[in-house]
Amino acid sequence: MAASRWSLSWRDRPPEEAALLNPAFCGELIARATKDYERIRAAPFPLPLAFVVLPLVLHPPTKDALPGRANTTFATWSADNEALLAELPERTLRLRPISREALLFLTQHRALTVTADGLKTGAAPMKLSAKTSSSTPDADDIRRAAGLIGRWFANQGAPVQILQTMGVTP
């Protein structure tokens, strides 16, 4: 059986994938969603929702279709973007190893802790400035989208309802 591309060492991965899907950057995106979710809801970020952050913000058409405000009605947005969400379960499965690597990175660096209720900001949280010194407009847009996802999910119902609306089963 052939090895999965995600089981390759970092130096053997395609450079573009290694650069975009590295655990530090992907972890930053999950940490931003977690931080904004915690800030709004005063509760841990549900772990299943962490696995849809990357498929939503790293897919340019979906990221571009995200609303500008976190108080947008989730059900209406989902109905208006059915075609994008139809592919979300498959993207979630394909990016699951990347999400896991990012979560492991965050927990190993104590940026996040995993509790029975979900993800919480850890003892050594990432410094999440709005704009980094060496970034691109695309990376900044992705960072903003990750924070929006955290705030948006915080304004919704139970995680199961969010996932069902997007067609993803936990």
Side-chain angles (χ1 to χ4, degrees):
M1 184 167 138
S4 163
R5 65 197 300 169
W6 308 117
S7 63
L8 296 173
S9 69
W10 277 97
R11 68 175 163 252
D12 295 331
R13 291 185 186 187
E16 296 84 13
E17 287 182 12
L20 180 62
L21 303 176
N22 75 72
F25 180 66
C26 291
E28 177 190 346
L29 300 175
I30 293 172
R32 284 181 184 276
T34 299
K35 178 184 166 199
D36 283 5
Y37 184 95
E38 284 180 312
R39 185 171 54 81
I40 301 288
R41 195 123 185 195
F45 188 53
L47 185 59
L49 295 180
F51 286 89
V52 295
V53 171
L54 299 181
L56 288 172
V57 301
L58 293 178
H59 183 248
T62 304
K63 174 185 61 73
D64 294 343
L66 290 173
R69 301 178 60 138
N71 61 0
T72 300
T73 307
F74 188 69
T76 303
W77 180 87
S78 296
D80 291 345
N81 293 284
E82 230 172 64
L84 291 172
L85 293 179
E87 302 167 354
L88 186 65
E90 178 61 28
R91 288 197 313 266
T92 302
L93 286 175
R94 281 188 278 141
L95 288 174
R96 187 173 51 189
I98 302 301
S99 296
R100 283 185 183 154
E101 281 183 338
L103 289 168
L104 283 173
F105 177 85
L106 292 169
T107 55
Q108 287 174 345
H109 290 276
R110 302 181 321 146
L112 287 183
T113 58
V114 180
T115 69
D117 297 326
L119 301 171
K120 294 175 64 175
T121 300
M126 291 180 99
K127 294 178 182 170
L128 302 172
S129 62
K131 204 167 192 167
T132 60
S133 60
S134 60
S135 186
T136 65
D138 286 341
D140 292 339
D141 286 346
I142 292 170
R143 287 182 176 101
R144 275 192 294 276
L148 171 72
I149 292 295
R151 293 188 306 278
W152 202 22
F153 285 172
N155 289 317
Q156 305 307 315
V160 168
Q161 292 171 326
I162 295 170
L163 293 172
Q164 285 177 342
T165 302
M166 292 188 297
V168 177
T169 55

